[in-house]
Amino acid sequence: MEKSDYNQTNMGTPQGGTISPLLANIALDQMETDLIEYLRGIKGWKGKIGATTVSIRTDKKTKKSYRVRNSLKTDLVRYADDFVVLHEDKEVIEESKRFIGKWLEIRGLTLSEEKTKIVHSTEGFDFLGHHIRHYENRIKGTYKLKLLNGTPTEQRRAKTTHILRVEPTKEKVKLHYREISDTIWKLKAATPSELIRILQPKISGWANYYKTVHYGYAFGKLDMFLWRRLYQWACRKHPNKGKRWVANKYFCMINGRKWTFAEIVGKGKDKKIVKHLKGYSKHKERTGSHARVGYDRSYYDGDTAYWAERLSKGYGNITPSKAKMLKRQDGICPLCKCRFTNTDLPEAHHIHQRHLGGEDTYKNLVLVHLHCHDKIHRENPGIKGKTVSQTSPELQGLLNNGMAPAFQAEGLKPPTSTNTVLSLGGGAGRIITPASDIKPPTDTSTVLRTGKDAGIITPASDENKET
């Protein structure tokens, strides 16, 4: 579109379009393999480049195994059309640049002269919004002596000459703060609740992207800027009030952190915090705790078990709330006991149903497959008019799993045994107790336990069948 006129696009794709990264991946797929083969083919360079032998490495903490190429001394890291070539020898990097330039010409592409440069790791470079650089190790004095007498990891940290740091670039920090500041300025007449609702996704999204690197300096600076901007916003709304009055109305202490922006209702003993803004420093994660992807892995390689495990650790195209539930459930659906795969549609299910008085919190949510969620509500429609507080203790185990027993509508007495099981097959909704004459169903091998084991789905054992 130019000057409000639409012009038909006969060829090419729009810059920044959704298909652009896909086309870049298709065009640049073999770049790493061809580069390594070319460099190893140069006479006398096999020792410089290393071997492409694949070995299996097992992580000592997680006990997980993945394929690596330990002997390879060069590396190419690529994300769509952005890539970095790493090697300790400058001659290898210069030869790689010449080869990649010719390799791209065959495909009708060229290297950007402005963005392409050769730098030393101590100078640092920007990649995907991160600044990667080797800094001189400044650990000395008594702290260095303490590390030298510590664990092998601490000893290596004290002896190393340089330390690698990956942190958000200054440009990205400035752009993000400008966006937050402009948003607050546009919402001069908004209520605290509306301001929190609009700002929180922006803050959480940016912080979650950078929380796996060295974020301390950037997050602390943004928290200070955010507080200053929100305080200006609050003072502007009440120009005739004092600073202490404004601070007590819009800021409070939550989890030991002072000056947290919140929507506060009431005064004195009746003071209540309705909603508060989660700052940048609250999105903390141990640096380097992200899971590593194997060099030969692809999201569409058909290995559903591997990518289901990745999803259970909070990765993939899912929301942070569903990722949190996947981590808690270890990537397993509690109803069908099958792992979530990269093609499944996970759905959040309220354990205590909302119309029974259940809360919309993580403690009351569980992630199930979409078809499992439909099955739960189809076979167990619920008990209308009843609240959780009015439910007898015997039924509490069933309600803890979001299953409303059908027998209550029939006027039958609730069970009194803790060994009660609820069938998930053809007998769904029927309660089997030792005192009843009803025999347990035999058409399914899955039962839902109540009592002290409420919420645990296990294969039906002989003990269960006897009861």
Side-chain angles (χ1 to χ4, degrees), residues 54-60 62-71 292:
V54 179
S55 58
I56 305 296
R57 176 183 293 179
T58 303
D59 191 282
K60 294 181 181 179
T62 61
K63 306 301 181 182
K64 302 295 182 180
S65 299
Y66 51 92
R67 301 174 67 191
V68 295
R69 294 185 289 192
N70 292 324
S71 303
R292 179 178 177 178

Side-chain angles (χ1 to χ4, degrees), residues 399-410:
L399 290 175
N400 283 342
N401 296 279
M403 302 290 185
F407 75 92
Q408 187 168 4
E410 301 175 1

Side-chain angles (χ1 to χ4, degrees), residues 84-111:
V84 177
V85 181
L86 305 173
H87 197 272
E88 60 184 8
D89 194 338
K90 185 177 180 181
E91 185 182 4
V92 175
I93 298 297
E94 292 175 345
E95 186 63 32
S96 300
K97 181 181 178 181
R98 285 192 290 269
F99 172 79
I100 291 175
K102 296 178 181 178
W103 191 87
L104 291 174
E105 286 181 3
I106 301 174
R107 291 154 178 80
L109 303 172
T110 57
L111 284 174

Side-chain angles (χ1 to χ4, degrees), residues 185-451:
W185 176 256
K186 293 176 183 177
L187 299 173
K188 294 187 289 291
T191 62
S193 179
E194 293 174 351
L195 189 61
I196 294 172
R197 179 179 59 83
I198 296 174
L199 288 181
Q200 192 64 77
K202 297 179 183 292
I203 294 173
S204 298
W206 196 89
N208 285 330
Y209 181 73
Y210 289 106
K211 69 180 181 180
T212 56
V213 298
H214 296 89
Y215 52 77
Y217 178 75
F219 281 16
K221 198 170 185 177
L222 284 171
D223 275 332
M224 186 266 291
F225 286 152
L226 179 63
W227 167 82
R228 183 184 297 173
R229 194 67 187 84
L230 289 172
Y231 189 70
Q232 292 175 354
W233 176 89
C235 290
R236 188 186 182 280
K237 289 183 74 70
H238 305 279
N240 298 325
K241 296 292 185 179
K243 294 182 179 180
R244 187 181 295 274
W245 186 92
V246 172
N248 291 333
K249 181 173 179 61
Y250 292 102
F251 297 92
C252 60
M253 178 185 288
I254 296 179
N255 297 328
R257 186 175 181 84
K258 298 180 180 179
W259 293 97
T260 301
F261 185 77
E263 182 185 5
I264 304 173
V265 178
K267 297 180 181 179
K269 295 182 180 180
D270 298 331
K271 188 176 181 179
K272 182 180 179 182
I273 300 172
V274 180
K275 185 185 295 185
H276 70 279
L277 186 66
K278 185 179 178 183
Y280 295 89
S281 298
K282 289 297 182 180
H283 297 79
K284 291 183 178 180
E285 185 169 318
R286 183 173 58 85
T287 303
S289 61
H290 55 279
R292 179 178 177 178
V293 179
Y295 79 96
D296 58 344
R297 293 288 187 179
S298 170
Y299 189 72
Y300 302 100
D301 58 6
D303 191 351
T304 56
Y306 175 82
W307 292 105
E309 187 175 358
R310 293 281 300 182
L311 288 174
S312 69
K313 289 178 172 58
Y315 295 86
N317 189 22
I318 56 176
T319 61
S321 59
K322 291 184 178 180
K324 185 174 182 179
M325 287 184 277
L326 275 173
K327 290 181 184 179
R328 184 179 60 187
Q329 299 170 202
D330 196 23
I332 299 175
C333 174
L335 189 65
C336 63
K337 300 206 69 178
C338 296
R339 276 193 173 274
F340 289 96
T341 66
N342 51 356
T343 58
D344 288 334
L345 299 175
E347 189 75 14
H349 171 63
H350 288 88
I351 299 173
H352 284 289
Q353 297 181 32
R354 296 296 300 278
H355 67 271
L356 296 177
E359 298 180 354
D360 191 19
T361 60
Y362 280 115
K363 294 182 180 180
N364 192 41
L365 286 171
V366 67
L367 205 63
V368 295
H369 291 102
L370 181 60
H371 58 275
C372 293
H373 195 219
D374 293 340
K375 180 180 179 180
I376 291 174
H377 289 284
R378 182 177 64 252
E379 298 183 355
N380 304 276
I383 314 170
K384 295 184 179 180
K386 286 283 185 179
T387 61
V388 176
S389 60
Q390 295 173 330
T391 308
S392 61
E394 290 80 3
L395 294 178
Q396 196 68 27
L398 298 178
L399 290 175
N400 283 342
N401 296 279
M403 302 290 185
F407 75 92
Q408 187 168 4
E410 301 175 1
L412 301 177
K413 294 182 179 180
T416 57
S417 172
T418 58
N419 295 325
T420 304
V421 296
L422 175 64
S423 168
L424 297 181
R430 299 177 62 192
I431 299 298
I432 312 301
T433 65
S436 64
D437 297 332
I438 305 175
K439 294 182 179 181
T442 58
D443 59 340
T444 178
S445 62
T446 305
V447 296
L448 179 64
R449 297 183 180 276
T450 61

